[in-house]
Amino acid sequence: MKNRAEVIVIGGGSTGTSIAYHLAKLGVDVVLVEKGYLGSGSTFRCATGIRQQFTDEANIKLMRYNVERWKKLSEELEYDVNFKQTGYLFLATTEEEVEAFKENIKLHNKFGVPTRLITPEEAKEIVPPLNADEFLAGQWNPTDGKANPFKTVFAFARKAKELGAEIYEYTEITGIIVENKEIKGVKTNRGTIKADVVVNAANAWAPILNEMAGLDREFIPIKPFKHQLVKTEPLKEGQIEPLVCPPAWNDSYVLQDGEDGGVLCGTGLEYGPTYDMTPTYEFLREVLKWATRIIPALKYAHIIRQWAGFYAKTPDSNPAIGKINYIDGFYIAAGFSGHGFMMAPGVGEAMAELIVKGKSHVPLDWEWYDPHRFERGELRSTAFQIG
Amino acid sequence: MSEEKKIIICRCNDVTLEEIEALIDQGITDIETIKRLLRIGMGPCQGRTCLPMVISIIARKTGKSPDEIKLPATRIPVRPVPAGVLVGEIDEE
Ligand SMILES: Cc1cc2nc3c(=O)[nH]c(=O)nc-3n(C[C@H](O)[C@H](O)[C@H](O)COP(=O)(O)OP(=O)(O)OC[C@H]3O[C@@H](n4cnc5c(N)ncnc54)[C@H](O)[C@@H]3O)c2cc1C
Ligand code: FES
């Protein structure tokens, strides 16, 4: 293990591996430290969805840029991350929701996202087994999509290493060394690494690392909430390719996994704050109640897996991204509140440029995601969260 | 390619001995990583058939003892059940 680097990235999920890759690409001597294996935090546990359908300008713009990055990511990383533009379909059950959909669509269109209102019949053409009779209209964007989280993390890490980054798995950060309000390095269970810059990309665990640097845990109030998914046996391709979600049905959603065609089923039942990852029977019953209402034929599909991970939630469901002004050389990109996988390419690029050049060409609104907004009591409008 | 290399180790997801050995040769010996890159152990049998074999392949290629190789987490439900059974709409056959 090296004992010195220019930048140390803490956390080997989609965020950390993307930051490490983009730093290495800019010629930075970077080390990434992950306490488990790459992706073992929340990244592998996610529902794979990538959407631009948010309800505020900052997230829509950032995600629009991200989708452009996702489209070229396999080629850039020379590894297939299996990105597919299979769309996101939201479904309305009341007239009020249809009106809200129309407002959302106006906003999406304003920033170049081609969302449109569709009829239940059109929705059924896109998702053949849909229980279309239950819905009044759909909010449909065919340019949203999904990708394989494991392959994404693996591809970022592989390319980062090719460009000279070092990645230490099964290595835990146990301390952050700060002297005179300046970052000096980190302590791990395998030794000390010196560096002038440390990036906290530990998402659900980020407050623990902030505390290690001498900051108050509540300074950036990220809380871990247990969210779960259930997966069915593989179904024939092309049945439920988009992510399908009637928000009024407890934020429940279904989509076919882009790899094997099994159906991922999620719902808004959450537990926490907690670091417990045990799946619950209550969730299994709740999620299937909704999933079989959205797609009645799912009654006959065998359930083969269930697992849990964390939504690292902030009070406004927007992440904290940027520089921490109290300690020179300390940066954070965490608190993704259930939508961090989709943002990884753009956030990694923006963070790397911020660290190296002090600014970035990525359309990321630093004001909006400012890590200091919580202590100022300045919350953003709540980012649209699913599940 | 020798016939032996075409041996299927994970029947559920059609993964061959050759694919597993190729990853180990690239230096990827962590079972969690191999499992997710090749989707071994994620089929309907949930690895009951293939994971013991994968462990012995890793052990043979890396010289580790099989006990040192941690078994990946198993996920509930233990046995696949149709969704309708769990919501009480259909009876299990
Ligand atoms: C059920 C579910 C569904 C989801 N669906 C989606 C979706 O469809 N689309 C989407 O974009 N997002 C989704 N998410 C959210 C997504 O999983 C996360 O936002 C994303 O994975 C965050 O990535 P990350 O790299 O920031 O965090 P993580 O992947 O959690 O990585 C943080 C890493 O830090 C490591 N770490 C912590 N402490 C230490 C330490 N002391 N030393 C070293 N390493 C440490 C952890 O082990 C972990 O690997 C979902 C999440 C869940 C749970
Ligand atoms: S044989 Fe590998 S999962 Fe069934």
Side-chain angles (χ1 to χ4, degrees):
Chain A
M1 194 166 94
K2 296 217 283 206
N3 57 19
R4 169 160 271 295
E6 284 178 304
V7 179
I8 296 165
V9 178
I10 304 171
S14 47
T15 309
T17 53
S18 173
I19 295 172
Y21 158 69
H22 286 96
L23 282 168
K25 203 172 148 192
L26 292 175
V28 175
D29 171 21
V30 52
V31 162
L32 182 145
V33 181
E34 163 54 51
K35 73 174 171 186
Y37 54 91
L38 293 179
S40 59
S42 294
T43 298
F44 289 175
R45 302 167 187 280
C46 89
T48 78
I50 295 167
R51 72 177 145 100
Q52 301 152 93
Q53 298 194 54
F54 278 82
T55 47
D56 63 86
E57 178 176 349
N59 283 303
I60 296 173
K61 281 188 173 163
L62 180 59
M63 279 313 302
R64 182 160 187 253
Y65 178 78
N66 266 294
V67 165
E68 292 308 312
R69 289 289 318 270
W70 277 109
K71 284 199 229 164
K72 288 173 265 170
L73 201 62
S74 296
E75 197 187 323
E76 178 179 337
L77 300 177
E78 297 175 289
Y79 195 91
D80 191 1
V81 302
N82 212 353
F83 173 67
K84 295 180 185 168
Q85 286 183 295
T86 44
Y88 260 61
L89 174 62
F90 291 100
L91 295 162
T93 56
T94 62
E95 285 303 338
E96 292 82 73
E97 279 179 284
V98 178
E99 288 313 307
F101 279 10
K102 287 181 186 158
E103 289 305 309
N104 294 340
I105 290 169
K106 264 190 226 156
L107 192 68
H108 297 169
N109 294 170
K110 184 172 163 197
F111 299 112
V113 177
T115 312
R116 60 193 165 90
L117 198 72
I118 61 172
T119 63
E121 294 71 42
E122 287 172 288
K124 204 164 165 64
E125 272 165 38
I126 296 163
V127 180
L130 181 71
N131 190 7
D133 294 346
E134 294 254 18
F135 305 107
L136 299 177
Q139 177 184 310
W140 164 242
N141 173 23
T143 67
D144 290 342
K146 58 194 174 191
N148 180 315
F150 188 80
K151 290 187 174 165
T152 301
V153 163
F154 183 78
F156 274 134
R158 199 182 75 118
K159 203 68 183 172
K161 283 193 237 173
E162 239 176 74
L163 295 166
E166 300 258 330
I167 295 183
Y168 304 128
E169 291 179 79
Y170 298 104
T171 307
E172 183 166 358
I173 302 283
T174 53
I176 296 179
I177 310 165
V178 179
E179 283 167 21
N180 299 323
K181 301 196 159 70
E182 285 175 11
I183 287 285
K184 294 292 172 196
V186 296
K187 289 188 191 140
T188 79
N189 59 342
R190 296 171 54 210
T192 298
I193 314 171
K194 291 187 180 152
D196 295 334
V197 176
V198 166
V199 185
N200 181 351
N203 209 30
W205 296 270
I208 301 172
L209 288 136
N210 284 345
E211 205 172 32
M212 285 185 200
L215 299 167
D216 189 312
R217 235 191 222 225
E218 293 296 313
F219 152 57
I220 301 173
I222 296 169
K223 299 269 192 301
F225 284 85
K226 173 159 81 177
H227 277 252
Q228 303 175 56
L229 284 169
V230 157
K231 189 170 176 187
T232 72
E233 65 191 315
L235 302 190
K236 200 173 86 197
E237 249 181 75
Q239 304 298 301
I240 320 168
E241 290 296 344
L243 186 145
V244 180
C245 172
W249 289 2
N250 198 15
D251 265 352
S252 305
Y253 60 90
V254 291
L255 84 158
Q256 265 181 298
D257 184 305
E259 292 289 332
D260 66 7
V263 182
L264 296 166
C265 310
T267 189
L269 175 61
E270 68 177 13
Y271 301 84
T274 175
Y275 282 112
D276 169 65
M277 281 219 218
T278 326
T280 65
Y281 187 63
E282 182 192 23
F283 177 88
L284 183 63
R285 296 194 61 122
E286 175 73 10
V287 73
L288 292 176
K289 178 180 91 191
W290 295 115
T292 55
R293 228 176 126 184
I294 304 169
I295 310 283
L298 281 180
K299 268 184 237 156
Y300 305 102
H302 286 79
I303 302 305
I304 59 172
R305 296 165 80 74
Q306 180 187 355
W307 65 87
F310 300 119
Y311 277 23
K313 285 170 71 170
T314 64
D316 59 16
S317 292
N318 283 289
I321 306 174
K323 200 168 164 10
I324 294 180
N325 297 330
Y326 296 126
I327 302 172
D328 219 25
F330 197 35
Y331 293 80
I332 188 165
F336 285 94
S337 307
H339 45 263
F341 172 63
M342 58 181 77
M343 296 184 167
V347 168
E349 183 181 10
M351 285 297 287
E353 290 181 350
L354 178 72
I355 291 165
V356 175
K357 306 175 185 163
K359 58 179 196 288
S360 169
H361 82 285
V362 175
L364 184 149
D365 183 343
W366 298 101
E367 251 317 286
W368 184 267
Y369 300 108
D370 184 358
H372 290 275
R373 68 182 184 276
F374 309 105
E375 58 179 355
R376 292 199 300 261
E378 242 178 58
L379 294 191
R380 307 299 174 225
S381 67
T382 302
F384 179 50
Q385 177 199 314
I386 308 176
Chain B
M1 204 200 319
S2 78
E3 278 305 307
E4 188 204 336
K5 301 275 183 208
K6 283 195 207 134
I7 291 173
I8 299 228
I9 300 294
C10 176
R11 283 184 291 158
C12 295
N13 285 343
D14 271 353
V15 185
T16 64
L17 177 61
E18 186 185 30
E19 290 172 283
I20 298 167
E21 291 193 336
L23 275 192
I24 299 173
D25 289 339
Q26 284 172 45
I28 300 159
T29 57
D30 182 39
I31 190 155
E32 295 283 359
T33 307
I34 293 176
K35 172 180 154 190
R36 288 181 171 81
L37 281 176
L38 296 177
R39 311 189 68 74
I40 292 173
M42 298 173 130
C45 90
Q46 288 293 282
R48 265 179 286 278
T49 322
C50 58
L51 284 179
M53 284 191 277
V54 177
I55 289 177
S56 70
I57 297 163
I58 299 174
R60 176 162 54 74
K61 299 260 311 174
T62 61
K64 282 189 191 160
S65 91
D67 297 342
E68 286 174 63
I69 301 163
K70 250 199 325 203
L71 257 181
T74 45
R75 317 265 192 204
I76 60 166
V78 172
R79 198 162 46 92
V81 178
V85 172
L86 293 156
V87 291
E89 284 197 27
I90 56 177
D91 292 327
E92 195 171 2
E93 68 277 24

